[in-house]
Amino acid sequence: LKELGVPAGAIFIGDAAAYDRSTFEMFRFLGYDRLSRETGAQLIDLDTPAYMRVIVPGGGLAYRSYLFKEAVRGFDVLISACKMKTHGRGDVTLGMKNLLGMIPTYPLAGYPRGAILHAAGSDVGRLIGDTPPRDLTIQHYSRTSPAGPGGLPANRDKLRRVIVDMACIFPVALTVVDGVIAMEGEGPWQGRAIESNMLLAGYNVFSTDVVGAYLMGYDASEVGKFKYALRKELGEANLPRIEVVGEKLEKL
């Protein structure tokens, strides 16, 4: 980006860490603080207020609207830089799934992002409404959950719809998939590291994910979120119709 003439001070690297970890703690652990010093790019914690509410264009598949850090309003271009891996609940984790890191971890009343993304139940829907009750907490939901105290019943299909909602809200200008060391199996925590030695980049996040899924051994019809991406007309899923340059996919 700097070589293309973008000032270093206008380049931001953002994320919102999960599971009670500080985003900047994770930045330091992963070496992003060093990267920031070397390049001049700024690190931004997407987990902190002030928040703004964004309505999903054309209507959301999971929720009507979501909360995000207000600062993202000022960004002109979004690049999704992600790892190539599988996910126990999401088939493949690539450019679209990576956008979940835009959502703050605790955007409302102490309610964790994981519940918003994964959990079934009407209370979750109430929290995402335009006038969420400020007194509803994760402890309340755990007590009233069909799974019992401390349990959050998962809705795998809901996660797929949230992912596509994110892709509708944030038009990705470039997706870069790092498959140098990839993951297969029960990701994102218990998978196996695979030395794939490949990088994949594309201008359409959905079609890039389709190619990435193919390289991981999946047909597009096997990936649940892709059917929702097609419903939203986010891109091309027919592999022969996707323009691919570089190495032949069959060789990879």
Side-chain angles (χ1 to χ4, degrees), residues 183-207:
M183 175 188 283
E184 71 176 13
E186 284 297 309
W189 309 115
Q190 299 175 5
R192 297 177 299 278
I194 299 294
E195 191 172 344
S196 298
N197 293 315
M198 67 174 75
L199 292 172
L200 173 68
Y203 295 119
N204 181 284
V205 64
F206 172 41
S207 296

Side-chain angles (χ1 to χ4, degrees), residues 8-92:
I11 301 172
F12 292 82
I13 300 171
D15 209 338
Y19 299 103
D20 297 319
R21 296 295 187 124
S22 157
T23 298
F24 277 95
E25 177 188 354
M26 290 295 96
F27 280 150
R28 288 189 293 271
F29 179 79
L30 296 169
Y32 281 86
D33 55 340
R34 184 178 68 252
L35 180 67
S36 176
R37 290 192 299 270
E38 292 173 353
T39 64
Q42 300 182 56
L43 303 179
I44 182 170
D45 182 359
L46 301 179
D47 211 13
T48 56
Y51 299 129
M52 64 177 180
R53 184 172 294 281
V54 179
I55 295 175
V56 183
L61 296 174
Y63 298 112
R64 179 174 177 268
S65 62
Y66 295 81
L67 291 181
F68 303 99
K69 187 178 181 71
E70 203 169 61
V72 304
R73 191 194 308 271
F75 298 155
D76 299 307
V77 174
L78 178 65
I79 296 173
S80 180
C82 57
K83 269 289 185 181
M84 177 182 283
K85 59 182 185 287
T86 52
H87 193 289
R89 290 181 176 173
D91 306 313
V92 297

